Structure formats: structure tokens, C-alpha cells
Amino acid sequence: MGQRTEDPLETAETPGGGILRQPPAVWATAGASVVAFMGIGLVDPILPSIARGLDATKSQVSLLFTSYFLITAVAMLVTGFVSSRIGGRRALLAGLALVVVFAALAGTSDSVGQLVGFRAGWGLGNALFVSTSLAVIVGAAAGGSAAAILLYESALGLGMACGPLLGAVLGDASWRYPFFGTAALMAAGFLCIAVFLKEQPTPARKTSLLDPLKALGHGGLASAAAAAFFYNYAFFTVLAFTPFVLDMTPYRSGAVFFAWGVLLAVFSVLVAPRLQRRLGSLTVLAGSLVLLAADVLVLGYGNHTTAVVCTVLSGAFIGVNNTVFTELALGVSDAPRPVASAGYNFVRWFAAAAAPYLAPKIEEWSDARVPFVVAALAAVAGAGIVVLRRSALVHRAQEEAPRHAAEDGVTVFAN
């Protein structure tokens, strides 16, 4: 019981309505969010195929992730500035339009350099869309912020699960088809939002470009961002480097990462909240990071079957971490939720950009096991920050959380 009184991450339940009883605008935004999150893992099963098709090295192909997330990290300083001035609906449509254009262009690439550049543009559009989508869902959802956040987490999990599967099915014919398929799906999402979502009012207070950086002056938020930075390094080592280690056909690799995504979704939406209520959020987060480190280490040193099992199992730990880190970013500081989350994401997505590039380089300098050792150490470092900075991370103004979540929305991208 003592742990619950210290827990900074409780989510208020709101009576009335439910996750399935939502207006068309919410379902349109959530559906487009599924496709947006699919874009993260879409290229996983086809990374080896892209490398062969464009005569590129592992580290060159891994730049597909690096350019995507590097632009995403920087865009976190811009998306709040833009959406607070043009409104949520226009921001969503602008982001979707960018994704449609750059995803289609990616499918026409003749070199890995072109493909990396188009993925960067795709990342800008995705950042603009996803950073605004939860705020829109929270504002339009029935049942309050709790139902809206659960719906958003469900969309994230479904997208992360289905992205590799779509990449495998379309990529088995050609590595270009998944990019064209994503462009078509996002175009459908654009039309649905244009039809069903009404114009959103602009916030009374405009967000400046420096507000997210100023928010990081809060010790708790800075600690959460630092822990998430190391966690994301481990996460994206699994996501971006493991396909090369498994060296499977697109169908087999897609099946592995589909199972990974299913576990991610189940543990994110169903298991993590129960563990938090039982053990306390920070205890769950530190423990899950240590378990992820152990899993990644075994993945690197095991045989092929062990690597497959550990890849799938990592989805469970990643799902738990995603949920707890998301809620931590919401409630640990007194900054407005979009501003705090933008600063938090600005820090952590740099690790998502670094890991896909560094892991193949580390393999070139040593062997295929060492990148997983580095990833395991990064996860342990994240757990260490959670433990050492516990007093800063338990700060909250709990009575303010439901009101802020409903008024401000949340700009937590792809967890």
C-alpha cells in the first residue's frame, strides 16, 4: 500500500462512455494513428532485401531509421509550435500529406541515399501527425482522458504489430511495395480525418520553440528523459539490428516481429497497468528495464532459435516500458503536458536515431554479439537512473493530472 501512495503515475478513471463508444472523429484519428505507427516497423522484414536491392551495407540501410528518428527528434521542438497556431485538424492533415508524399517517393528510390532522404521527410510528417493525434483524441473522445489514452495505446500496439506484417506481405514481391502501400493507407486516413474531424480550436497559449527545452529544467522530467534515452537505445537495437542477425525471409521475419508486436500491445495495454497497481510504477519500470537487458544479452549470445524467442519476448518488456514511460512523461512535472512531452521526446528520440546506425558499426569493429552487450548496458543504465533519481520521479500534482490531460492532450510519440 505504501508504494501506491508514492506512485507518480496513476491514471484517473472517468465515468461515462468507454473505449469502444467513440464518435467517428476519434475512430478516424485512431485508425490513421495505427497506420502511422505501422511505418516505424514497416521496414524491419525488408531491411536485408533493401540492402540487396540497392547494393547497400547494413549500416547504410540502417540510416533509414536514423534519418527518420533524427528528424523526428528535432521536429518535437516544432510540432507544438505549429499545432498551437494552426489547430489540431490542420496539423494532422499536414502531417498525413507529408507522409503520403514521402512514403510514395521512398518507393521510387534508385539509391540508398534517396531512400534515406525520403524517410527523413516521412519522419517529419509522422512527427507532426502523431504528436498531435493524442491531443485530438483526448479532446474528442467519450469517456474522458483515461479511455482516450487507452485507445491511443491500443492504436500504437496494433500499428507496431501490423507494420512488420504488412512489410513482409508486400515486401515479399518487392521491397518498394510496402512504401507504396503505406502511402495509400495514409491517403485513406487523410480522407477520413478530412470528412469526420471538425476543426479544432487553437490553444489560448501559443507554444514557443524553446518551451520544451525549458521544461527539461525540471529534475524529474530530465531524469525521465535520460532514462528513456538509454531505454530507447536498447529498444531500437532490437528493432533495427536484429533483422540482420536473424537473416530470414521477409515472411519469416515479419512473423517474428508480428508476434513481437502482439506481445508489445498486450503488455502495454493490459499487463502494465495491473503491474503498476500491484507493485508501483517505478518498481515495475526498473525491473522491466533489467529484464530487457537480460533478454537482449541472451539474444546476442544464443543460437538462432534462442534469438527468435528472445526477440519476440522483448516485446513484453518493451510494452511495459512504453506504458510507464508515457505516463511518467505526463505527470512528473508541472509543465503543460504537450510541452513536457515534447522536451522528453526530443531527448529520447536521439537514441532511436543513434542505435540503428551504431549497432552495425559496432559489429564491424567487433562481432555481432557486442551490439547487444551495448544495448543491455544501456537498458541497465536506464534502470539505474530510475532507481537513483526515484525521489525526483515521484513528484506529482495528482489532482491536476486529469484536468491537464483533458485540456492539453499529450504529445508522446510512438512510445
Side-chain angles (χ1 to χ4, degrees):
M1 296 295 293
Q3 287 174 312
R4 283 182 52 78
T5 60
E6 293 181 354
D7 193 340
L9 308 177
E10 294 192 23
T11 302
E13 296 294 335
T14 306
I19 188 172
L20 297 180
R21 299 177 181 177
Q22 302 297 337
V26 171
W27 287 117
T29 307
S33 298
V34 171
V35 182
F37 290 124
M38 285 170 62
I40 296 176
L42 179 82
V43 298
D44 261 23
I46 57 173
L47 285 175
S49 300
I50 294 173
R52 289 191 294 269
L54 295 178
D55 193 24
T57 65
K58 293 179 184 179
S59 57
Q60 286 175 325
V61 172
S62 294
L63 288 173
L64 293 177
F65 285 100
T66 297
S67 64
Y68 183 91
F69 287 114
L70 186 61
I71 294 299
T72 295
V74 176
M76 284 300 153
L77 301 179
V78 179
T79 52
F81 176 87
V82 173
S83 62
S84 67
R85 284 162 174 77
I86 67 174
R89 182 175 183 272
R90 290 192 181 96
L92 290 179
L93 292 176
L96 286 170
L98 286 172
V99 173
V100 170
V101 170
F102 283 104
L105 288 173
T108 67
S109 300
D110 294 322
S111 69
V112 70
Q114 288 182 351
L115 187 54
V116 168
F118 292 142
R119 277 283 284 183
W122 184 344
L124 175 61
N126 220 41
L128 187 59
F129 171 79
V130 179
S131 66
T132 309
S133 60
L134 181 53
V136 171
I137 289 174
V138 167
S145 61
I149 292 172
L150 184 59
L151 182 63
Y152 182 82
E153 292 285 353
S154 301
L156 186 153
L158 184 61
M160 293 292 281
C162 293
L165 198 61
L166 178 67
V169 172
L170 297 179
D172 189 60
S174 169
W175 65 263
R176 299 179 186 274
Y177 290 170
F179 297 108
F180 294 137
T182 299
L185 289 172
M186 287 303 251
F190 182 97
L191 292 176
C192 288
I193 287 177
V195 171
F196 293 112
L197 182 64
K198 296 179 181 179
E199 187 55 69
Q200 303 290 297
T202 57
R205 180 183 180 278
K206 301 295 189 292
T207 300
S208 78
L209 294 175
L210 294 180
D211 281 350
L213 296 178
K214 293 177 181 177
L216 291 170
H218 184 279
L221 183 62
S223 299
F229 176 90
F230 288 107
Y231 158 61
N232 266 30
Y233 187 93
F235 176 1
F236 284 94
T237 297
V238 173
L239 191 64
F241 183 66
T242 302
F244 293 114
V245 175
L246 298 180
D247 194 22
M248 305 167 81
T249 64
Y251 270 120
R252 290 180 181 272
S253 182
V256 169
F257 278 96
F258 174 72
W260 168 86
V262 169
L263 274 187
L264 187 155
V266 170
F267 274 75
S268 177
V269 176
L270 301 179
V271 177
R274 289 172 171 79
L275 290 176
Q276 288 173 269
R277 288 193 295 269
R278 186 178 182 88
L279 301 174
S281 296
L282 298 183
T283 300
V284 169
L285 182 58
S288 183
L289 285 167
V290 171
L291 290 173
L292 176 63
D295 179 81
V296 169
L297 200 60
V298 175
L299 192 164
Y301 279 86
N303 59 25
H304 190 269
T305 300
T306 302
V308 169
V309 172
C310 288
T311 299
V312 174
L313 184 60
S314 70
F317 307 125
I318 289 170
V320 172
N321 292 332
N322 282 352
T323 293
V324 182
F325 268 122
T326 297
E327 295 178 5
L328 191 60
L330 300 187
V332 73
S333 77
D334 297 323
R337 298 312 192 259
V339 172
S341 298
Y344 160 81
N345 280 292
F346 172 73
V347 173
R348 74 185 186 111
W349 287 119
F350 276 109
Y357 178 74
L358 290 178
K361 288 294 185 183
I362 293 171
E363 182 195 20
E364 293 174 10
W365 301 331
S366 52
D367 60 52
R369 292 173 293 188
V370 177
F372 294 104
V373 174
V374 175
L377 291 174
V380 171
I385 292 172
V386 171
V387 172
L388 294 175
R389 296 288 295 166
R390 184 181 184 90
S391 60
L393 292 171
V394 297
H395 170 74
R396 66 176 176 183
Q398 182 171 340
E399 69 277 4
E400 296 292 321
R403 178 173 63 82
H404 281 316
E407 290 178 357
D408 297 329
V410 188
T411 55
V412 177
F413 169 54
N415 283 322

